[in-house]
Amino acid sequence: MDTPKDGFFVERAVDSIPVGDRHRKDLGEIDVLAASIDRHGMLQPITVSVEGFLICGSRRLTAIKKLGWKTVRVWVRSGISDRLGQLLAEQDENVPHKPLNQIEAAALYRELKGLLAEDAKGRQEATRFGTGHQPGDGAADPAAPSMRVGEARHQAAQMVTGRASYSRLEQIGFIEKIAADPARPEELREHARIELGQIETGGAVGPAYARIRTEAAGDLERLAEEALARVKAEQREKRKKERQANRPRPRMQLNPRAFVLTWDEFDGWCDRYDLHQLAIELTDDHITHFHTVLDDLRAFAKKLDTERETVPVEQRGKPLNQRAHLRAL
């Protein structure tokens, strides 16, 4: 038991002890424990932090609440009020009592891993930037873990399971991540939740992890294919818009009077140019464009002659409104 310098005893109201966020969800056979406490009393005191939060004794606290206790003598432990200290104390309590199930162990491992890595990083920075960088500077905490950041997984696994292997705990974390990911298909998330439920009741982790990982890999492949299809569709749409933007707008229709005036202007135009000068100064593109326009004119002339064959001779040269009047007659 802790010595007086580590803390002190005090009487507390049972309902005034906040439990906080703990990783143990299944408290086991509380009735058996309550019967033992009722017969023999509280052999080991409940431990709380200076702030009053429960550190050790969640099962004992639940049992005495079941027994109807109003107050209880608790041990107030100093120097362990930070979250890491609470987790370490919670894990110390779990060793001689009911062990955590695999899901609870994975959750405790995950938080311990993060806190240990953060603690190690803070110690490294304190050592690097401490005054004078001399040994013994500052108030060292011998109870806190001494480790490199990269060892956090091994250290956390050792604390939770007694072994440095963290593979099984990381696999559970992967399945939990898939189950909670809203971007994943609901069918995959539901399968992950089912696997977690089986693990919580003692199911094997490795096969469950392999199944979810295979499904998740297939889902990622599907997402990649869908993303590629979206990119291709966006590119096609972009090219379509570019073609539409670059497509020449239809020219305004001109009336017959403009046609007559235009060709009146062209009357005798060939006599106005020096062919030798044109042959020297015009580029190949100019000549190509000239012949293209001529070809269009020849095709237009043929279409115009064909259209005139459909118009009776007596109606030729008449404005449209007059032609409509003649047809009415």
Side-chain angles (χ1 to χ4, degrees):
M1 183 176 295
D2 299 276
T3 58
K5 66 178 181 180
D6 297 321
F8 52 92
F9 284 106
V10 68
E11 194 79 11
R12 287 288 302 271
V14 171
D15 291 337
S16 71
I17 303 174
V19 176
D21 183 20
R22 300 177 75 82
H23 295 85
R24 177 187 291 280
K25 306 303 179 184
D26 181 8
L27 296 178
E29 295 292 338
I30 295 298
D31 289 341
V32 175
L33 178 60
S36 174
I37 294 175
D38 192 38
R39 285 195 306 269
H40 307 293
M42 183 80 73
L43 300 180
Q44 183 178 1
I46 291 172
T47 304
V48 300
S49 68
V50 174
E51 292 81 6
F53 287 93
L54 180 70
I55 295 176
C56 301
S58 58
R59 299 182 71 239
R60 279 165 280 159
L61 181 62
T62 304
I64 63 174
K65 285 182 179 180
K66 193 176 186 66
L67 292 172
W69 288 25
K70 301 302 181 183
T71 62
V72 64
R73 192 164 184 254
V74 300
W75 177 256
V76 180
R77 175 76 180 272
S78 60
I80 196 170
S81 59
D82 62 294
R83 180 58 178 161
L84 178 56
Q86 291 178 19
L87 283 175
L88 295 176
E90 180 182 348
Q91 179 56 14
D92 287 341
E93 180 194 35
N94 291 330
V95 173
H97 299 90
K98 184 180 183 299
L100 301 172
N101 65 42
Q102 296 190 95
I103 300 300
E104 294 170 338
L108 179 58
Y109 158 79
R110 191 162 50 250
E111 187 168 359
L112 273 172
K113 178 180 67 174
L115 289 170
L116 288 170
E118 183 181 348
D119 180 76
K121 183 179 179 181
R123 289 176 177 278
Q124 288 177 348
E125 292 178 352
T127 302
R128 184 182 308 168
F129 301 110
T131 306
H133 303 280
Q134 297 296 324
D137 287 345
D141 181 3
S146 176
M147 52 176 287
R148 294 190 299 272
V149 176
E151 296 174 345
R153 291 184 298 186
H154 294 285
Q155 184 82 4
Q158 183 72 41
M159 291 177 177
V160 175
T161 66
R163 297 183 297 115
S165 176
Y166 53 81
S167 299
R168 178 169 52 81
L169 299 169
E170 290 285 348
Q171 289 172 354
I172 294 174
F174 175 82
I175 300 174
E176 289 179 324
K177 183 177 180 181
I178 294 296
D181 188 354
R184 297 286 188 170
E186 181 56 32
E187 183 179 358
L188 173 59
R189 296 177 63 194
E190 178 61 21
H191 187 188
R193 288 192 287 266
I194 292 173
E195 296 285 7
L196 289 171
Q198 294 175 347
I199 291 172
E200 190 169 13
T201 57
V205 175
Y209 168 75
R211 288 190 290 267
I212 295 301
R213 184 175 179 84
T214 299
E215 284 190 43
D219 179 54
L220 287 177
E221 184 176 351
R222 178 187 60 80
L223 292 176
E225 291 175 353
E226 291 178 355
L228 181 60
R230 285 196 299 272
V231 170
K232 289 182 177 179
E234 290 172 358
Q235 290 176 344
R236 287 195 298 269
E237 185 66 20
K238 182 179 179 181
R239 288 193 294 268
K240 179 180 178 181
K241 290 181 179 179
E242 289 175 350
R243 287 195 299 270
Q244 292 175 345
N246 296 329
R247 184 180 299 168
R249 297 179 181 178
R251 298 180 180 179
M252 182 180 65
Q253 293 271 324
L254 300 177
N255 58 34
R257 176 175 173 76
F259 180 87
V260 173
L261 292 175
T262 298
W263 287 104
D264 283 347
E265 287 292 328
F266 273 96
D267 185 24
W269 72 275
C270 296
D271 299 329
R272 301 176 187 175
Y273 296 99
D274 183 337
L275 290 176
H276 184 66
Q277 183 182 9
L278 290 177
I280 293 174
E281 296 188 15
L282 292 180
T283 65
D284 290 343
D285 288 340
H286 294 151
I287 296 299
T288 299
H289 182 63
F290 170 69
H291 283 287
T292 300
V293 173
L294 281 181
D295 291 340
D296 289 343
L297 286 173
R298 292 189 189 98
F300 179 80
K302 289 182 179 179
K303 292 178 181 178
L304 179 59
D305 290 340
T306 300
E307 186 69 24
R308 278 177 62 80
E309 294 296 328
T310 65
V311 178
V313 176
E314 67 272 12
Q315 293 187 18
R316 294 176 186 174
K318 303 292 184 180
L320 285 176
N321 57 348
Q322 292 187 18
R323 287 177 58 193
H325 176 69
L326 289 173
R327 283 197 300 272
L329 298 175

